């Protein structure tokens, strides 16, 4: 899951980024509203964490304009303490939820998870395919009774595959969701990571779940 964080207070932005990365999210951070808006228009995000008071473009105008473009990316707005006007304005502009500063990171995480679930077709926290199960809260995976140890990137890949099972995913789509803005699409890094994941998920099992679609990309499905 890829998240855009638009927050001009660098300390707060870093705190959110660090916390989200520890939870295996892929995070892009921008400190300016206009720049953030340009990213939200052109890149694919699963959710946006958006401060209200921003240089360039404020969070309310940001949200309103994004919604006018029919972009429904879930938005969690960060509002100033006790400013009822900001909360109401934020929700009226089309934000999905808000969080009052200062906040505990655990609450930001819980609200973000809830927004991501609302947007997903599958609302459960457990994803599965055949005998493979992934717990999106504890980040633990297992196949039959074998636990699978995943790195942060492998977890992100597996979650993305399982949320899109039976769908062929091109390298471009994978890069857009699993790597941040600075990713160089000219490398074979995606194939390298998928091979690592495949070793962990499929090696030793007769039934393979990760399949290469030659010239197109990858798909996760039961044969
Ligand atoms: Ca601010």
């Amino acid at each position: 899951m890829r998240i855009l964080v638009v927050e001009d207070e660098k300390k707060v932005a870093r705190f959110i980024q660090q916390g989200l990365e520890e939870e295996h999210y892929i995070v892009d951070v921008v400190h300016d509203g206009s720049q953030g808006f340009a990213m939200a228009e052109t890149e694919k995000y699963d959710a946006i964490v958006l401060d209200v008071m921003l240089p360039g473009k404020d969070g309310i105008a940001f949200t309103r304009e994004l919604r006018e473009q029919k972009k429904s990316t879930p938005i969690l707005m960060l509002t100033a303490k006790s400013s009822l006007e900001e909360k109401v304005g934020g929700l009226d502009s089309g934000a999905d939820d808000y969080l009052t500063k200062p906040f505990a990171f655990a609450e930001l995480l819980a609200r973000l998870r809830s927004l991501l679930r609302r947007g997903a077709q599958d609302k459960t926290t457990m994803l599965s395919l055949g005998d493979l199960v992934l717990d999106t809260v504890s980040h633990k995976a297992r196949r039959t009774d074998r636990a699978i140890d995943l790195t942060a990137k492998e977890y992100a890949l597996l979650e993305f595959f399982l949320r899109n099972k039976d769908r062929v995913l091109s390298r471009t789509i994978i890069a857009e969701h699993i790597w941040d803005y600075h990713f160089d699409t000219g490398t074979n890094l995606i194939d390298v990571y998928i091979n690592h994941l495949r070793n962990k998920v499929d090696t030793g099992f007769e039934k393979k779940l990760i399949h290469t679609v030659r010239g197109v990309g990858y798909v996760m499905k039961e044969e």
Side-chain angles (χ1 to χ4, degrees), residues 66-178:
L66 201 68
R67 296 300 185 239
E68 278 166 10
Q69 292 188 16
K70 307 280 178 237
K71 284 198 165 39
S72 58
T73 317
I75 293 177
L76 175 60
M77 206 169 254
L78 304 179
T79 65
K81 196 178 170 188
S82 76
S83 169
L84 184 64
E85 210 177 309
E86 280 188 8
K87 289 170 195 166
V88 172
L91 292 174
D92 276 348
S93 68
D96 298 270
D97 198 2
Y98 65 84
L99 191 58
T100 304
K101 287 179 175 180
F103 52 84
F105 184 74
E107 187 176 4
L108 181 134
L109 202 57
R111 284 176 187 268
L112 202 54
R113 275 205 201 104
S114 155
L115 283 189
L116 292 167
R117 268 201 305 276
R118 256 186 257 169
Q121 286 168 326
D122 188 348
K123 313 245 180 247
T124 66
T125 57
M126 304 293 276
L127 301 173
S128 67
L129 177 67
D131 52 9
L132 173 74
V133 179
L134 181 68
D135 181 330
T136 60
V137 176
S138 72
H139 301 135
K140 290 199 167 87
R142 55 190 319 114
R143 193 161 173 191
T144 60
D145 54 359
R146 189 207 287 179
I148 302 171
D149 251 331
L150 299 168
T151 64
K153 209 52 149 186
E154 289 162 358
Y155 169 83
L157 262 176
L158 185 59
E159 182 187 3
F160 186 58
F161 271 121
L162 288 174
R163 288 194 190 278
N164 293 280
K165 53 190 174 190
D166 297 320
R167 186 178 152 206
V168 178
L169 301 168
S170 68
R171 287 174 184 78
T172 307
I173 300 261
I174 294 169
E176 278 174 351
H177 284 269
I178 309 298

Side-chain angles (χ1 to χ4, degrees), residues 4 22 29 41 48-49 69 77 98 118 124 134 136 182 191 194 208:
L4 175 64
E22 281 167 10
V29 173
E41 271 186 303
I48 301 171
V49 176
Q69 292 188 16
M77 206 169 254
Y98 65 84
R118 256 186 257 169
T124 66
L134 181 68
T136 60
H182 306 288
D191 307 271
I194 288 174
K208 307 300 178 200

Side-chain angles (χ1 to χ4, degrees), residues 7-9 51 53 101:
E7 165 61 87
D8 59 320
E9 278 172 73
D51 189 29
M53 298 294 282
K101 287 179 175 180

